[in-house]
Structures are given as C-alpha cells and as structure tokens.
C-alpha cells in the first residue's frame, strides 16, 4: 500500500468558502431521501431485501427501515449500501438537480449520524471517477469504515483539527493542512481524540469503469 503525507496550503482558503455557505444540519426538504433512492436502486436490480442484505452486509430489517424512512442510515451504513450496489457514496446524498463548476454545499441532505456528517462538494463524476466530500467527525469520536469497492482510493485532507486515521492496522496523525492517500478497499478507521470536531475533505477515486450509467437509476428531484 502506498501512503503519501503532504501539506496543502490551499485547503484553508477553500474551506472558508464552504463554511460561509453551509450550516451544520441544514437540509433541503425537496431532495429525495436515502430510503427512496435505495428502494429505486434495489427494484432496478430486481433484488429482494434478502438479496440486498446479502450484497451489502446490512441486515434485511435495517434496509427495510431505511426504505420506509423509519431509520436514518449512518455514514458507515451508507458506505456498505453503496459498495454493495456498486454506486458512488454521493449517490445517496447529492443534489439531483443539474450541477456545474460552482461548489454547492447549501442544504444538502446529510445522514443523521451523531458521530460523522458528510456533504458532497462535487458529487460523483463518471468521466473523472471521483467524489469530493466534506466530512465532520465529532469530538472524542471513532468511526470504522468497511472495505470499499476494489480499487477505491481515498485522499483525506484535514481542514480543521487533528485527525487520526488507521489504514492497514497503522494509525496516522494528520493536522490541518496535511493529507493522506490510501487504498480504501480494506477496512479503515477515523478517530478524533480532541474536544472539538475535526473537519476534512475526502476525495474518493473510483476505479475505471465503476458505476456505468446503466448500472444505477439517476436520482430524481421530487419537487418536479
């Protein structure tokens, strides 16, 4: 595994733009809920809940609760679902309306997880093959992530605070302005030992050919 740690001065400038636009917990009620997207995706595959549970590693009961809107999936659970269905993570949390080059973080739906929050700055781009997320890890929190799709690489860049990141059973300490690139198709963990939340960018690069256009139905804007 190749791990590269380096400092990035640009992240502080970019983050000021993000904090000026986004408020924690803000949600756009016009966006489809993860459960609706999950049900659409499952039906497009022709899978039963039992088959979806086998593919994702998430229990049949939990998948049913998510589909019915009875349970809000955590970031970790959404990752398992996305991996099992072979779709990018941002499929479940991105604005379905046409996007452009402008950063759009206002009111995007976020999984209601007290430990970790994630918002997409640039949702999945099939040509470039990446998601760009802004992630916040709560104080004194630990979040475990299961192995993602084979060939997935994460680039984590800390914006604020100090993040501990475990890959291949080794912990790395990252301060603001430092980044780590690692293979994310193995289990990995994020930890915050501080008293304040840690914020970081997570650029997720998917392997060539990942999530072809015919593999996943496009999220629809329910306001239409």
């Amino acid at each position: 595994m190749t791990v590269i740690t380096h400092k990035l001065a640009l992240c502080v400038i970019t983050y000021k733009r993000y904090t000026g636009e986004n408020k924690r917990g803000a949600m756009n009620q016009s966006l489809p809920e993860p459960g609706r997207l999950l049900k659409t995706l499952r039906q497009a595959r022709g899978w039963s809940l039992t088959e979806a549970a086998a593919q994702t590693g998430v229990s049949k009961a939990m998948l049913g609760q998510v589909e019915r809107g009875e349970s809000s999936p955590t970031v970790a659970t959404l990752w398992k679902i996305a991996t099992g269905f072979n779709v990018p993570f941002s499929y479940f949390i991105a604005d379905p309306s046409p996007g452009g080059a402008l950063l759009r973080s206002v009111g995007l739906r976020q999984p209601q997880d007290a430990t970790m929050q994630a918002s997409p700055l640039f949702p999945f781009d099939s040509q470039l093959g990446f998601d760009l997320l802004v992630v916040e890890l709560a104080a004194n929190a630990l979040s475990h992530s299961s192995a993602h799709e084979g060939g997935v690489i994460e680039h984590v860049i800390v914006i604020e605070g100090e993040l501990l990141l475990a890959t291949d059973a080794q912990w790395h300490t990252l301060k603001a302005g430092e980044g780590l690139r690692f293979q994310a198709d193995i289990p990995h963990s994020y930890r915050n030992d501080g008293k304040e939340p840690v914020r970081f960018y997570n650029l997720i690069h998917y392997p060539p050919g990942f999530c072809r256009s015919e593999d996943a139905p496009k999220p629809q804007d329910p306001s239409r």
Side-chain angles (χ1 to χ4, degrees):
M1 178 185 68
T2 301
V3 176
I4 298 176
T5 304
H6 52 88
K7 290 183 177 290
L8 294 176
L10 290 178
C11 66
V12 176
I13 298 173
T14 309
Y15 177 64
K16 287 182 179 179
R17 184 176 187 181
Y18 164 71
T19 54
E21 293 179 352
N22 188 48
K23 294 183 179 179
R24 181 184 174 92
M27 296 178 65
N28 187 334
Q29 297 301 323
S30 69
L31 299 184
E33 296 300 322
R36 186 185 310 170
L37 295 174
L38 171 58
K39 186 174 183 179
T40 299
L41 196 57
R42 180 175 63 80
Q43 291 178 339
R45 294 285 197 278
W47 292 353
S48 66
L49 281 173
T50 300
E51 290 171 317
Q55 290 290 332
T56 62
V58 178
S59 71
K60 176 181 175 181
M62 174 58 71
L63 291 174
Q65 291 172 5
V66 172
E67 284 194 2
R68 295 189 298 271
E70 297 172 359
S71 178
S72 297
T74 64
V75 170
T77 298
L78 274 186
W79 257 120
K80 288 183 178 180
I81 295 172
T83 298
F85 279 93
N86 194 43
V87 296
F89 178 80
S90 65
Y91 176 83
F92 292 101
I93 62 173
D95 188 336
S97 60
L102 178 66
L103 299 182
R104 303 180 64 197
S105 59
V106 179
L108 294 182
R109 179 184 58 253
Q110 300 182 54
Q112 297 304 296
D113 177 6
T115 298
M116 182 176 279
Q117 298 279 337
S119 290
L121 279 182
F122 294 106
F124 180 71
D125 185 310
S126 59
Q127 291 184 327
L128 299 178
F130 75 85
D131 273 335
L132 178 57
L133 311 175
V134 176
V135 184
E136 180 175 296
L137 183 63
N140 298 308
L142 173 64
S143 179
H144 296 293
S145 182
S146 57
H148 303 329
E149 187 82 11
V152 171
I153 298 173
E154 290 190 24
H155 305 71
V156 170
I157 306 161
V158 177
I159 305 167
E160 183 177 290
E162 184 173 284
L163 176 70
L164 285 82
L165 201 162
T167 62
D168 202 20
Q170 181 179 358
W171 284 98
H172 305 271
T173 300
L174 301 176
K175 298 180 181 180
E178 295 182 337
L180 185 72
R181 183 177 72 189
F182 62 95
Q183 296 291 142
D185 51 7
I186 58 174
H188 46 284
S189 301
Y190 307 89
R191 195 175 88 211
N192 177 11
D193 290 342
K195 297 180 179 180
E196 298 293 333
V198 171
R199 295 181 178 87
F200 57 93
Y201 292 124
N202 192 349
L203 190 153
I204 305 159
H205 186 266
Y206 300 90
F210 178 83
C211 191
R212 295 167 300 175
S213 58
E214 64 269 23
D215 286 339
K218 294 182 179 180
Q220 298 296 315
D221 186 344
S223 64
R224 295 178 180 176

